[in-house]
Amino acid sequence: MPRASALLAGLGAALALVVLSAQIHGLDLLVYRQGALALLGMAGDQQLYDPSLIETDTRSLPFTYPPFSALVFIPLALLPVSGALVVVTAVSLACLLVVARWVGRYLADRQALPLWASTRWGKATVLVLLVLLIGVSGPWREGLGFGQINPLILVLIVADLLRPPGRVPRGFLIGIAAGIKLTPLAFGLIFLVRRDWRAILALGTGFLATVGIGWLAAPRESARFWFGAIGDPARVGDTTDIYNVSLNAFLAHLGASGALQRSLWILGSLAVIALGYAAIRRAEDDGDLVRAVTANAVVMLAISPISWFHHWVWIALLIPAAWVHARNHAGTTRVVEVAFVALLLPVMMFSSITVTLILTGRVSGDGPPALELFTSLGVLLPVALLVLWLGPRLSLPSGPPGGARP
């Protein structure tokens, strides 16, 4: 069989296994479509920011993104549900292929792959394995099942940060991503570390452009979102739910609540931001842009009031970055980092949805302390990795800056 045909067959088999493991149902996609239909006035009496657009057996699901997002989802709303699900699944799988290619190049540039991986067959095998391993990991698998857009957000952000300079200023694509889902605004941190004011301006310009488009297309909905809905994290869901893998949820699991929880969350978030700033700076000094981007992603997910398990698609970069860092250290640092990665793998393979379903036969947002600790490790271990990344300077293998290019 020709090499190209063998690669295509391997990738096809890997993607098929990923899709089968996801058990696609598209619940979040239904909310996206319903939000776009409400914006178009095609959802009966429903308004975009009503308390519920979709009802399930256990909860009501509102539209939680800015109005610009609803505009982006209009093409999906005009398709049948099955057609929209095919499109979103195809986009997510395409993003998976892109991310796997980036990771493969990064590991190769950092000489973190075995010798056989340098051959043509080896490179193809690594790509197929990465597609499979990333795709069946918990956040990617469950995000694909929900019909989520997180893989697309990741690709927009990483492409903006890893691409060579061009006509479009760096930061602009991140601003667009933030217009779809607010959390990418946290990536202004990496530009702050660099003192890249032009990129910060481009990020702000891209974001404000999406806000402006939203106001022009839907002024009433925009006013309702920016002056009301944006300040209510409870619209996104129960912040104490064990599916919420964030610093905020961890504090709730420790028993904090009310003003105490909010104060501790603010203080903890400031500490994580400071830690992330230092980790990004160290990674940039080491010439490891992938690690710098990953450190910023950890900050974004840790400090967000709600970071659902399927938001952690960034483990596709986190684990390789930690592996590369560990390989370039000896002694205690390497042992501890490898141990953290080994523990992170099962934590990021089985979400609280999977665990509670196995243990009780139903999905539960509450759990015994042991399960709450298990899920909280999903944020505690990445933050701990930031601490390890502040270790001694590295002597890295030669390679292009960042170790990966789109």
Side-chain angles (χ1 to χ4, degrees):
M1 182 184 292
R3 288 191 178 94
S5 299
L7 176 59
L8 290 175
L11 290 175
L15 292 174
L17 289 173
V18 169
V19 171
L20 287 174
S21 71
Q23 300 181 17
I24 297 173
H25 49 83
L27 179 59
D28 286 353
L29 174 61
L30 295 179
V31 180
Y32 301 157
R33 292 184 72 260
Q34 198 67 14
L37 290 172
L39 186 68
L40 293 172
M42 299 170 60
D45 295 333
Q46 286 185 326
Q47 301 297 314
L48 180 59
Y49 294 111
D50 282 352
S52 174
L53 292 183
I54 298 292
E55 292 285 341
T56 71
D57 294 338
T58 57
R59 59 169 295 194
S60 302
L61 298 174
F63 189 85
T64 60
Y65 296 159
F68 178 75
S69 296
L71 295 173
V72 172
F73 295 137
I74 285 176
L76 297 177
L78 299 179
L79 292 172
V81 173
S82 58
L85 197 54
V86 168
V87 170
V88 170
T89 300
V91 169
S92 293
L93 293 178
C95 291
L96 173 59
L97 289 170
V98 170
V99 171
R101 186 165 178 263
W102 284 342
V103 172
R105 286 188 174 186
Y106 170 66
L107 293 175
D109 290 339
R110 298 296 169 178
Q111 300 177 20
L113 292 172
L115 289 177
W116 60 261
S118 61
T119 66
R120 183 174 298 180
W121 277 103
K123 292 177 181 177
T125 302
V126 167
L127 179 61
V128 171
L129 288 175
L130 286 172
V131 168
L132 181 60
L133 293 174
I134 295 171
V136 301
S137 65
W140 283 81
R141 184 182 71 245
E142 294 198 4
L144 191 62
F146 279 107
Q148 263 283 338
I149 60 168
N150 292 298
L152 178 60
I153 298 295
L154 182 154
V155 167
L156 283 174
I157 293 170
V158 177
D160 203 2
L161 288 165
L162 296 187
R163 66 189 172 92
R167 292 182 180 178
V168 179
R170 196 181 307 282
F172 187 78
L173 292 181
I174 297 176
I176 299 300
I180 299 173
K181 185 176 182 178
L182 295 174
T183 50
L185 287 173
F187 276 87
L189 182 62
I190 194 170
F191 298 133
L192 184 61
V193 171
R194 298 174 179 176
R195 293 182 171 82
D196 189 345
W197 313 121
R198 183 170 183 266
I200 290 176
L201 178 62
L203 189 159
T205 300
F207 175 65
L208 291 177
T210 67
V211 175
I213 292 170
W215 273 100
L216 290 173
R220 183 178 61 180
E221 290 80 2
S222 293
R224 189 173 177 185
F225 178 80
W226 295 110
F227 297 115
I230 189 175
D232 183 12
R235 279 182 54 85
V236 183
D238 183 0
T239 58
T240 66
D241 194 305
I242 54 177
Y243 197 69
N244 180 13
V245 186
S246 70
L247 179 63
N248 193 32
F250 172 63
L251 292 171
H253 298 158
L254 291 179
S257 61
L260 175 62
Q261 180 184 357
R262 181 170 179 81
S263 299
L264 291 175
W265 170 64
I266 292 173
L267 291 174
S269 295
L270 291 175
V272 170
I273 291 170
L275 179 60
Y277 182 98
I280 293 169
R281 186 168 183 174
R282 175 58 55 83
E284 295 255 304
D285 289 344
D286 289 339
D288 193 336
L289 181 54
V290 169
R291 174 153 48 92
V293 173
T294 304
N296 204 149
V298 170
V299 172
M300 173 185 71
L301 293 165
I303 69 174
S304 176
I306 290 184
S307 290
W308 298 130
F309 178 78
H310 55 250
H311 293 171
W312 283 87
V313 291
W314 292 88
I315 63 164
L317 299 181
L318 177 62
I319 291 175
W323 173 246
V324 167
H325 185 268
R327 279 176 53 87
N328 287 279
H329 282 84
T332 303
T333 298
R334 174 182 290 187
V335 172
V336 172
E337 191 158 9
V338 170
F340 281 1
V341 170
L343 185 54
L344 189 61
L345 289 173
V347 171
M348 283 300 181
M349 182 56 69
F350 303 107
S351 74
S352 62
I353 288 180
T354 304
V355 174
T356 57
L357 189 61
I358 292 172
L359 294 178
T360 67
R362 64 183 181 87
V363 174
S364 174
D366 300 314
L371 181 55
E372 292 178 349
L373 175 60
F374 178 79
T375 58
S376 293
L377 288 174
V379 65
L380 297 180
L381 287 172
V383 171
L385 286 173
L386 296 185
V387 176
L388 291 178
W389 291 351
L390 295 179
R393 291 275 194 272
L394 302 181
S395 177
L396 291 173
S398 60
R405 293 293 177 205

